[in-house]
Amino acid sequence: MSIRIALDNPPEFYTNLDFVKGRVILVLNRPETIGNVIVKLEGESRTALAIPSTGDREDFYRPRPGAGGVGNIVTENHKVLYRFFQAFDDGAALSLQPGQHEFKFNFKMPLNNICHDAKAMNTLLGIGGLNGSGFRTMDGTKQLMLQHVKATLPPSITGFPMEAEIRYYIKVTIQRPGFFKENWRYQVGFKFLPIEPPRPPKTSQEAFARRPFTFRPRAAVPQKRSLFFSSKSSASPTENTNLTPPSIEMSARIPFPSILTCNEALPLRLIARKLAPTTTREQQVYVTALEISLVGFTQVRVHSLENTERTTWVVLSAPQLSPPIALFGNPADPVDTEFEVPRALWKDRRLPNTIAPSFRTCNLARRYEVEIMITLAWSTGGSSAFAPSNPFSSSAAGKELPPQSITLPLKLSSVEVFSGIAPPAELLSSVHTNPNASINTNSNINTNASSSANANAPRPPPRPANQSQSQSQSQSQSQGRPMPPRPSTNDPLYPPQLGPNGLVYDEPPPSYDEAMADRLAGPAARPAYSGVTAENAPSTVPGEKS
């Protein structure tokens, strides 16, 4: 006997609104009797942290669980995705002959997680099925005891052994009726990358980080005397000490809102601004080194314990630029003149495909910062002062002072990384054409389906019935007591829900994301992503305690 799951045209990774189709292939070498064939589409966000000892000085530090000491480890598991499909349910046992048998299944990836929905969790009581043919399901009551947030499905994440991971997989269970017969199970994992929320319109604004710096004045230093040519050496200073030291402000700028895209180059600009006047070439400043990094902060939470993991991706590392980049080509440029460092250094450097987009789920979150280290140097000898020289040469001895250098750190915080998978055009057009649509800022696409004159107004409470309203008004008039004003039937805050034939519905129509998710298919264009090294590898996070 062998079981395997064959997916139909599987992409490199799945995304929201994708159809997950496939077949369960069962190969038998003898006659067997089976019951239900249940296929489940699941996604888990699992975290584990060690309880700190009472002697820890830093209460905020939560160490990563080790190989030993399982008793002091707490875990938290959120079912961000849970759907099941009965590939076979005839109400009776099915006898199969030796050979190959196939059972088809079909799922559709939703937009948001499911664990936040208390109503959906209440319906999962650990058993499902009809006609007396029950099968095991997730016990949703356990999820009700955890803290949840409503958000878009998070991407697949690994790389934090024994601490955190997000995995998606398809699991099949073939029931075998009768006592002492074990059910057959098999599962296969897959990668998932969510679609990005609708991008805000482009503006001319920029987010920036800037830092000014002024070099130290040069000191008069006599030349070194040669042992063999002492008569030709002099004690005069090597440099003009009356030069005003250059003063420069470096700034890093990216378009605002600060959004980066997976597998694309950084939209970064490095600007130098002159703060003090200069007149000669001896006051020239050079960029000699540059490093650009994207830093990710993964916030891990287990109940009341929290820990933050820092991960760095180096986008550009140029420890020694040759030749160095001269700032301000003309020394006579006035104060406040700006010079942009050539973007050719990093315009072809795309973000690595191991970077996951920014996300937030119930027990995990990821945010990003851009860190830039730029080295500036001032030398009166020009760019030739940075070239390697022969220390034993008499011409190189005592000619110039070594250049002054400083490394300035620049940090751009609160940077969002988008997946680069644009939502379907129908989804975006519906958002733009619906004046009452609202977009969830937490990477969720959601709108208010009820029409309203004021799009920014909160959703009003349920409207009272017309009969009770007229009765309350008549009672207030007869008793002569003032009553608070009641909304009329034509109040814009209480519009009627009209159906296709003009019928008035008591309940509002389905939410925007629910209605659109059933009609649209997943986007076709998608970048490369490798957030999970091995989607079928065993989990490294400790299991839940029973």
Side-chain angles (χ1 to χ4, degrees), residues 152-194:
T152 304
L153 288 175
S156 301
I157 289 291
T158 57
F160 306 99
M162 303 291 293
E163 185 178 11
E165 67 180 12
I166 299 177
R167 290 178 179 268
Y168 294 87
Y169 51 88
I170 301 172
K171 181 190 299 183
V172 59
T173 301
I174 301 179
Q175 292 183 340
R176 302 175 65 196
F179 292 101
F180 308 109
K181 285 189 177 182
E182 184 180 3
N183 294 336
W184 293 332
R185 293 180 173 86
Y186 183 79
Q187 74 177 40
V188 60
F190 63 91
K191 299 177 184 178
F192 178 81
L193 188 66

Side-chain angles (χ1 to χ4, degrees), residues 43-44 67 70 81 93 151 176 188 197 216 302 326 353 356 365 407 416 420 430 468:
E44 291 183 327
V70 182
L81 174 62
R176 302 175 65 196
V188 60
R216 298 188 306 270
V302 180
N353 61 358
T407 300
E416 294 284 337
S430 299
S468 61

Side-chain angles (χ1 to χ4, degrees), residues 8-70:
D8 297 341
N9 301 321
E12 182 181 358
F13 57 85
Y14 287 94
T15 186
N16 303 99
L17 308 180
D18 273 350
F19 288 97
V20 183
K21 300 179 181 179
R23 297 161 294 151
V24 177
I25 302 177
L26 174 63
V27 180
L28 300 176
N29 52 12
R30 63 181 182 182
E32 291 284 355
T33 302
I34 66 171
N36 290 329
V37 179
I38 309 302
V39 184
K40 299 178 182 179
L41 179 68
E42 299 188 22
E44 291 183 327
S45 175
R46 308 178 63 185
T47 55
L49 290 176
I51 300 177
S53 61
T54 56
D56 285 348
R57 297 181 180 179
E58 299 179 352
D59 294 337
F60 62 86
Y61 175 68
R62 301 291 180 253
R64 180 181 296 182
V70 182

Side-chain angles (χ1 to χ4, degrees), residues 215-216 218 239 284-286 288 375-387 400-406:
F215 288 90
R216 298 188 306 270
R218 290 290 188 178
E239 297 179 352
Q284 183 64 270
V285 179
Y286 299 86
T288 59
T375 302
L376 304 179
W378 174 36
S379 174
T380 58
S383 60
S384 60
F386 305 102
E400 302 165 354
L401 286 176
Q404 295 185 30
S405 62
I406 180 65

Side-chain angles (χ1 to χ4, degrees), residues 324-388:
I325 301 175
L327 302 180
F328 310 108
N330 186 3
D333 289 338
V335 177
D336 293 335
T337 300
E338 292 185 350
F339 175 84
E340 182 176 356
V341 178
R343 282 184 274 185
L345 295 173
W346 62 85
K347 71 175 183 179
D348 296 330
R349 302 294 184 96
R350 296 178 177 268
L351 296 182
N353 61 358
T354 56
I355 296 178
S358 305
F359 70 92
R360 182 193 175 198
T361 188
C362 306
N363 55 346
L364 275 175
R366 171 71 65 84
R367 63 180 180 88
Y368 289 96
E369 294 180 355
V370 177
E371 292 186 355
I372 303 163
M373 306 292 290
I374 183 169
T375 302
L376 304 179
W378 174 36
S379 174
T380 58
S383 60
S384 60
F386 305 102

Side-chain angles (χ1 to χ4, degrees), residues 22-24 39 85-88 102-106:
R23 297 161 294 151
V24 177
V39 184
F85 181 88
Q86 292 186 257
F88 173 76
E102 297 184 358
F103 303 91
K104 296 182 179 182
F105 62 88
N106 184 13

Side-chain angles (χ1 to χ4, degrees), residues 6 15 30 43 52 81 102 112 120 126 129 138 156 168 205 208-209 217 219 223 291 299 317 337 374 492 494 533:
T15 186
R30 63 181 182 182
L81 174 62
E102 297 184 358
N112 301 326
M138 178 186 68
S156 301
Y168 294 87
Q205 299 178 346
F208 63 90
Q223 293 181 347
E291 180 177 305
Q299 299 173 354
S317 179
T337 300
I374 183 169
Y494 295 85
T533 54

Side-chain angles (χ1 to χ4, degrees), residues 195-502:
I195 62 176
E196 62 183 27
R199 292 177 179 255
K202 294 183 179 180
T203 63
S204 59
Q205 299 178 346
E206 289 183 319
F208 63 90
R210 59 189 179 190
R211 187 181 294 269
F213 179 76
T214 302
F215 288 90
R216 298 188 306 270
R218 290 290 188 178
V221 178
Q223 293 181 347
K224 294 183 180 180
R225 294 182 178 273
S226 175
L227 296 177
F228 303 100
F229 305 96
S230 58
S231 59
K232 297 182 180 180
S233 61
S234 62
S236 60
T238 59
E239 297 179 352
N240 183 6
T241 58
N242 296 326
L243 290 176
T244 301
S247 180
I248 291 178
E249 178 189 82
M250 293 299 304
S251 62
R253 307 178 187 180
I254 57 176
F256 181 82
S258 305
I259 297 176
L260 306 181
T261 307
C262 294
N263 290 276
E264 292 188 8
L266 293 175
L268 176 67
R269 295 201 306 152
L270 295 179
I271 306 295
R273 186 168 68 94
K274 182 182 292 188
L275 300 180
T278 57
T279 56
T280 65
R281 290 285 181 182
E282 296 179 349
Q283 296 171 293
Q284 183 64 270
V285 179
Y286 299 86
V287 178
T288 59
L290 180 62
E291 180 177 305
I292 304 175
S293 302
L294 182 66
V295 183
F297 296 90
T298 306
Q299 299 173 354
V300 183
R301 185 187 63 82
V302 180
H303 304 295
S304 59
L305 304 180
E306 294 183 359
N307 187 36
T308 301
E309 294 287 346
R310 176 188 170 103
T311 309
T312 302
W313 293 269
V314 178
V315 179
L316 171 66
S317 179
Q320 185 174 359
L321 293 175
S322 181
I325 301 175
L327 302 180
F328 310 108
N330 186 3
D333 289 338
V335 177
D336 293 335
T337 300
E338 292 185 350
F339 175 84
E340 182 176 356
V341 178
R343 282 184 274 185
L345 295 173
W346 62 85
K347 71 175 183 179
D348 296 330
R349 302 294 184 96
R350 296 178 177 268
L351 296 182
N353 61 358
T354 56
I355 296 178
S358 305
F359 70 92
R360 182 193 175 198
T361 188
C362 306
N363 55 346
L364 275 175
R366 171 71 65 84
R367 63 180 180 88
Y368 289 96
E369 294 180 355
V370 177
E371 292 186 355
I372 303 163
M373 306 292 290
I374 183 169
T375 302
L376 304 179
W378 174 36
S379 174
T380 58
S383 60
S384 60
F386 305 102
S389 60
N390 185 6
F392 301 100
S393 175
S394 60
S395 60
K399 291 293 183 182
E400 302 165 354
L401 286 176
Q404 295 185 30
S405 62
I406 180 65
T407 300
L408 300 178
L410 300 174
K411 180 187 294 185
L412 295 167
S413 59
S414 302
V415 175
E416 294 284 337
V417 176
F418 281 12
S419 63
I421 306 177
E426 297 86 348
L427 194 62
L428 293 177
S429 61
S430 299
V431 173
H432 295 318
T433 56
N434 185 4
N436 307 312
S438 62
I439 300 174
N440 196 329
T441 57
N442 188 19
S443 299
N444 294 329
I445 301 174
N446 192 6
T447 61
N448 188 0
S450 61
S451 59
S452 171
N454 186 2
N456 297 324
R459 188 172 181 177
R463 181 178 54 187
N466 295 334
Q467 182 178 1
S468 61
Q469 179 180 351
S470 59
Q471 292 177 358
S472 62
Q473 291 178 355
S474 60
Q475 291 177 2
S476 62
Q477 293 175 1
S478 61
Q479 296 176 2
R481 291 178 298 177
M483 296 293 291
R486 301 281 184 173
S488 63
T489 56
N490 296 327
D491 195 306
L493 292 180
Y494 295 85
Q497 304 296 333
L498 298 179
N501 297 326

